[in-house]
Amino acid sequence: MNGQPITEQAPAATALRLGTRRSALAMAQSGMVAREVTRLTGRPVELVEITTYGDTSREALAQIGGTGVFVSALRDALLEGRIDFAVHSLKDLPTAAPEGLALAAVPEREDVRDALVAREGLTLDELVEKLAGAGRTARIGTGSPRRMAQLNAWAAARGAALETVAIRGNVDTRIGFVTSGELDAVVLATAGLNRLGRSAEISQHLDPELMIPAPGQGALAIECTTANTELTAALGALDHAPTRVAVAAERALLATLEAGCSAPVAALATWGHSYELQLEGVVGTPDGATLLKMSANGPIVLDETAEQQAAALGRALAARLLDAGAAALMGERAR
């Protein structure tokens, strides 16, 4: 013994297990959340990669149902205790609340807009005009019937020559269709390109006047089990109430239409003056021949009933769209 005092080291904090899809975008999103959770809790976060059916299937999303195909495996892992919490792109979440799971946080939303990645960095107008001058039709890739409907409606309104091409794959694969010359452009979510550090590849942001985004686009969802009340409370510090309320309106519209994320449905809720929520909804046919577009607005009190108020606005707008014939435009509705 040398007479030195013996100091006990505090045990290392147990790592929290965060479930994530394996794609580069999902890993980037989950990494962002992991760093914030560590900052808030002081606990390390371990990323647990989980493969979902949507990642392995080569079928078009519209064929495999769209809703939930990127989510169910993560939710199974949560309920089985293999992970402590999960991060999803909110637009991928089914609208029905799952038993035993809590939406612990909806962080502040990223840019909601869609983005065009085109050859030579051309805008949509420039691309269509240049190729028309060369006697060609612009070929634009997207896996989304919602984007197809609005692109085709835009082209029809201008008498422009445009062909939408159904594609699948991660961001690299989709942009690769353009760099290889197979397609003239692709449409992706601005938020995803920003989170991947690839915003410089955007040729044009497609503002909502041209293309309204998917319900929940640009937002993330953080889920954990309802039984884990301590973690649910800790994750709640990442919640951004204005984002959570806005997406509640969008998702209520989607749920009332009984449409999945593969249906040609768009919705965007934005905040105006004096806490007024403005909600725009679009339902169309993928060929763009018919496009129903309506809006509604109402004051929202940011209290514990704010989500219910926003959801009521979404349901009311959906009812108007259904009265105008929306159901016939969506094909088979989700149940």
Side-chain angles (χ1 to χ4, degrees):
M1 290 288 196
N2 58 11
Q4 296 296 316
I6 298 173
T7 57
E8 292 187 9
Q9 287 189 332
T14 306
L16 290 165
R17 299 161 301 168
L18 191 168
T20 177
R21 291 171 56 202
R22 296 173 182 266
S23 73
L25 177 55
M27 294 291 285
Q29 293 175 166
S30 296
M32 288 164 45
V33 172
R35 289 188 288 275
E36 284 298 299
V37 171
T38 295
R39 181 183 64 80
L40 285 169
T41 65
R43 294 176 65 177
V45 175
E46 169 195 354
L47 296 187
V48 179
E49 298 179 20
I50 292 174
T51 301
T52 70
Y53 180 64
D55 295 316
T56 56
S57 173
R58 299 272 64 86
E59 296 175 272
L61 287 183
Q63 291 178 313
I64 59 177
T67 306
V69 297
F70 295 118
V71 172
S72 57
L74 288 162
R75 285 179 163 175
D76 289 345
L78 268 175
L79 293 169
E80 292 164 8
R82 291 184 279 124
I83 58 175
D84 299 304
F85 66 114
V87 174
H88 314 281
S89 291
L90 186 61
K91 66 182 179 64
D92 293 335
L93 279 190
T95 53
E99 188 175 347
L101 297 181
L103 182 56
V106 179
E108 186 169 4
R109 202 174 203 171
E110 241 278 12
D111 195 321
V112 301
R113 295 174 295 179
D114 287 298
L116 187 77
V117 178
R119 53 183 294 186
E120 303 170 39
L122 299 172
T123 67
L124 184 58
D125 280 299
E126 292 167 345
L127 179 69
V128 169
E129 185 178 345
K130 180 171 183 174
L131 293 179
R136 283 218 300 118
T137 297
R139 303 180 75 241
I140 300 179
T142 173
S144 161
R146 169 191 64 84
R147 289 172 177 150
M148 287 183 177
Q150 294 182 89
L151 280 172
N152 287 324
W154 174 89
R158 287 157 181 76
L162 185 151
E163 178 190 355
T164 52
V165 180
I167 58 172
R168 285 261 348 242
N170 60 27
V171 171
D172 277 333
T173 299
R174 295 182 187 218
I175 293 178
F177 289 129
V178 180
T179 54
S180 69
E182 187 174 342
L183 295 173
D184 300 302
V186 291
V187 180
L188 301 163
T190 294
L193 293 169
N194 286 349
R195 289 173 178 142
L196 286 169
R198 302 185 68 166
S199 57
E201 296 174 70
I202 296 173
S203 306
Q204 180 188 3
H205 292 290
L206 302 177
D207 288 323
E209 291 77 19
L210 190 157
M211 184 177 291
I212 293 178
Q217 184 160 306
L220 299 178
I222 305 175
E223 277 190 328
C224 65
T225 61
T226 52
N228 196 341
T229 54
E230 184 179 346
L231 182 58
T232 301
L235 293 172
L238 296 177
D239 198 62
H240 184 249
T243 296
R244 190 179 187 112
V245 172
V247 299
E250 297 166 12
R251 286 168 58 76
L253 179 144
L254 187 67
T256 305
L257 292 174
E258 297 181 350
C261 66
S262 62
V265 174
L268 177 62
T270 53
W271 289 96
H273 297 298
S274 303
Y275 295 103
E276 184 172 79
L277 198 63
Q278 173 82 23
L279 178 63
E280 293 181 278
V282 170
V283 179
T285 52
D287 63 5
T290 306
L291 208 64
L292 283 177
K293 184 174 183 179
M294 294 183 179
S295 64
N297 60 281
I300 302 291
V301 179
L302 281 176
D303 59 14
E304 65 277 1
T305 70
E307 284 185 82
Q308 287 76 24
Q309 297 170 56
L313 185 68
R315 288 192 294 270
L317 182 55
R320 287 173 50 206
L321 286 163
L322 288 169
D323 286 344
L329 304 180
M330 293 185 295
E332 185 177 350
R333 297 164 76 191
R335 295 288 177 184

